[in-house]
Amino acid sequence: MSKSIAGFSKLSKSKKIDWIVETYFTNAQSAKSILKQYWNSNEKLQQLHDEFIENTITNYYLPLGVAPNFLINGKLYTIPMAIEESSVVAAASKAAKFWLERGGFKTTVISTTKIGQVHFIYKGDFKRLTQYFNSIKPKLIDDAKPITANMEKRGGGIIDIELRDKTKDINGYYQLHASFETLDAMGANFINSCLEQFAKTFKNEAQSFNLFSDEEKQIDIVMSILSNYVPDCLVRAEVSCHVNDLTENKAITGKAFAEKFVQAVNIAEIEPYRAVTHNKGIMNGIDAVVLATGNDFRAIEACVHAYASRNGKYSSLTHAKIEDDTFKFWIEVPLALGTVGGLTSLHPLVKLALELLHKPSAKELMQIIAVAGLAQNFAALRSLTTTGIQQGHMKMHLMNILNQFKATDVEKQTITEHFKNNTVTHSAVVEAIQNLRSKN
Ligand code: MEV
């Protein structure tokens, strides 16, 4: 039976571990040694990781892989990817190589605006609220100057604040809907600090607005928080080539492949069941680079899927067409990213990943990550519409199965060799291991 504990956060790391292993594990010693295996022997590095969050008991590893040969706007990149799923990095690398030989990826940042809102309740006349808002708006911006001064020096800051009437949805509900330019920072702290200052000024100054009745002066702030929905922080990535140049394989002409590929994208555009899986494949690429570069993948995920539903129905993030025998494939995706602040300066592997990417600005990183998503989708659709996904996927998954059976290096080598010319299925691998072991 597990039990509750008071003051857990105050215990030392080793006491926390003792409590966990003794409370939850039949073999406390073995649980403890697994936790210890994942500690870093470099004490400083371990302390850094311990202090990222609360109640750290060990580190959770993900592999960091790289996909080379990405040509983006004429510049070559090797893209770092942190992900556990086999075949994602291989697929990205394959797509990069394919497009390297066909002119590479072209990208553009469409917009970089971020959003934050002060949600409040006001019981009174909307005209007077509008008058109040218009009169106070310069002060809202002015009072936030201590927060915005540095960002403004670099060319960013508050873009605008609007008053939005939401009373059709909730009685008395209004918003200060603010837009920001946060340059190379993801900007969450900056935006939230500005919003909290707006809320303070907005509530306090209402007390002395002469046109308000006593009741109208009682503006009730519900909350002040950035929005992770950033449809105007948008980037586009695309590839194109003559349909004949798409052929690598004699079984299908370039034109037939292009048509089938476009059909697969069209299906994801109209069919939500397919669109979710289609976009999941895109996020395999996007999330892996978002994680490797220390960005917030939950924010990216939440936003991307809201964006994919912006027309009232969940749909594909990518699009494709054939125009005058030219195959065109593109993605438009909102990505709020930072290359300064947060983990970017703290986590040594994140710093390394950013250096590998030529120390990109947030705008450049938006472009690289959109490309990773497009490349991943290209690789998935290419397999799905030709060989099927399992052939390549199971080849990559082979090592996981071998590890499940604790295969030795020699066994791995022999079995990998065998499956170069045989179809990988779980049962075929099990059979191969059993055969090999019975021979020895
Ligand atoms: C698997 O992680 C991703 C795919 O299912 C994506 C897709 O179906 O497009 C292969």
Side-chain angles (χ1 to χ4, degrees):
M1 258 294 265
S2 51
K3 53 189 179 190
S4 65
I5 179 168
F8 182 75
S9 66
K10 308 244 158 35
L11 297 180
S12 68
K13 182 173 170 181
S14 84
K15 287 259 157 49
K16 280 177 188 148
I17 290 172
D18 286 346
W19 184 81
I20 294 278
V21 297
E22 277 153 26
T23 309
Y24 290 98
F25 294 86
T26 38
N27 188 338
Q29 243 358 79
S30 133
K32 201 168 179 170
S33 77
I34 292 172
L35 291 173
K36 274 198 164 172
Q37 268 170 26
Y38 284 88
W39 288 1
N40 203 297
S41 54
N42 176 334
E43 271 179 34
K44 274 222 152 117
L45 195 63
Q46 186 51 54
Q47 191 186 348
L48 180 76
H49 285 73
D50 286 354
E51 289 173 359
F52 283 148
I53 60 164
E54 310 75 37
N55 297 344
T56 311
I57 54 169
T58 190
N59 305 305
Y60 185 95
Y61 290 176
L62 280 183
L64 177 69
V66 292
N69 297 319
F70 272 97
L71 185 65
I72 306 176
N73 298 338
K75 189 167 166 183
L76 267 171
Y77 291 87
T78 293
I79 298 188
M81 304 178 89
I83 188 158
E84 86 300 344
E85 184 174 330
S86 21
S87 74
V88 168
V89 177
S93 307
K94 241 176 140 178
K97 190 83 194 305
F98 183 93
W99 286 106
L100 175 69
E101 288 148 14
R102 290 162 181 81
F105 296 80
K106 306 277 179 301
T107 59
T108 31
V109 171
I110 297 168
S111 49
T112 57
T113 303
K114 307 210 172 119
I115 299 296
Q117 297 170 317
V118 177
H119 306 267
F120 67 95
I121 303 292
Y122 161 83
K123 299 276 173 61
D125 180 61
F126 179 54
K127 253 198 213 141
R128 278 197 290 281
L129 181 66
T130 309
Q131 280 174 318
Y132 170 59
F133 170 71
N134 289 333
S135 72
I136 200 74
K137 189 171 163 181
K139 186 162 171 59
L140 292 177
I141 294 172
D142 224 45
D143 285 1
K145 279 277 182 249
I147 307 162
T148 57
N150 271 339
M151 189 66 89
E152 279 173 6
K153 255 186 236 154
R154 287 180 274 131
I158 302 161
I159 298 171
D160 196 15
I161 313 173
E162 290 168 43
L163 172 67
R164 291 198 171 175
D165 179 354
K166 305 295 281 182
T167 51
K168 274 205 192 92
D169 300 317
I170 296 178
N171 190 19
Y173 170 37
Y174 297 87
Q175 300 167 344
L176 298 180
H177 182 94
S179 45
F180 301 86
E181 170 55 61
T182 63
L183 305 169
D184 286 336
M186 193 265 194
N189 282 331
F190 171 77
I191 294 174
N192 288 335
S193 302
C194 287
L195 294 170
E196 288 188 5
Q197 182 56 53
F198 296 162
K200 220 185 260 172
T201 305
F202 198 67
K203 186 174 173 60
N204 290 347
E205 294 297 318
Q207 300 302 319
S208 45
F209 187 62
N210 291 335
L211 300 180
F212 274 162
S213 68
D214 281 351
E215 197 196 0
E216 285 171 336
K217 286 180 179 166
Q218 303 316 310
I219 286 176
D220 185 19
I221 305 290
V222 180
M223 59 190 162
S224 309
I225 186 75
L226 93 165
S227 170
N228 288 120
Y229 187 46
V230 284
D232 290 319
C233 188
L234 201 62
V235 56
R236 180 186 164 99
E238 60 189 84
V239 284
S240 67
C241 71
H242 194 279
V243 286
N244 292 343
D245 297 337
L246 282 171
T247 344
E248 270 198 326
N249 147 2
K250 292 200 177 78
I252 183 164
T253 66
K255 190 157 186 187
F257 168 71
E259 280 165 359
K260 212 165 173 198
F261 191 100
V262 171
Q263 236 159 22
V265 176
N266 289 345
I267 290 170
E269 282 173 337
I270 59 103
E271 167 54 56
Y273 277 96
R274 173 57 201 151
V276 170
T277 317
H278 178 97
N279 289 348
K280 186 274 182 187
I282 295 170
M283 298 315 287
N284 279 344
I286 290 183
D287 281 338
V289 193
V290 167
L291 261 176
T293 56
N295 275 280
D296 180 346
F297 66 93
R298 288 85 56 205
I300 298 291
E301 282 279 340
C303 177
V304 158
H305 299 297
Y307 185 76
S309 322
R310 69 196 178 285
N311 297 321
K313 186 173 167 185
Y314 191 87
S315 179
S316 169
L317 292 163
T318 54
H319 309 280
K321 64 180 174 191
I322 303 165
E323 227 172 42
D324 302 329
D325 284 338
T326 298
F327 168 78
K328 294 189 176 168
F329 179 47
W330 71 99
I331 186 169
E332 274 184 20
V333 69
L335 292 172
L337 299 165
T339 54
V340 297
L343 270 198
T344 56
S345 53
L346 283 179
H347 197 304
L349 278 178
V350 168
K351 274 202 224 166
L352 185 133
L354 288 169
E355 190 169 342
L356 176 64
L357 290 173
H358 312 293
K359 299 193 176 158
S361 64
K363 273 188 176 174
E364 283 161 345
L365 189 59
M366 283 169 80
Q367 298 171 73
I368 294 164
I369 292 183
V371 163
L374 187 69
Q376 208 65 44
N377 191 224
F378 180 77
L381 293 183
R382 188 155 170 251
S383 299
L384 286 168
T385 56
T386 55
T387 56
I389 204 78
Q390 282 308 85
Q391 193 188 79
H393 188 75
M394 289 308 286
K395 274 223 155 80
M396 296 298 159
H397 191 52
L398 175 60
M399 200 49 71
N400 288 344
I401 306 175
L402 290 173
N403 282 332
Q404 274 163 17
F405 282 85
K406 300 197 169 18
T408 63
D409 287 346
V410 176
E411 285 175 333
K412 280 178 184 170
Q413 205 178 354
T414 315
I415 290 173
T416 309
E417 199 54 43
H418 168 78
F419 281 106
K420 276 193 179 147
N421 302 313
N422 289 285
T423 308
V424 181
T425 64
H426 192 272
S427 54
V429 179
V430 176
E431 200 181 312
I433 296 172
Q434 281 165 349
N435 281 344
L436 187 65
R437 287 183 178 168
S438 68
K439 270 189 218 149
N440 300 331

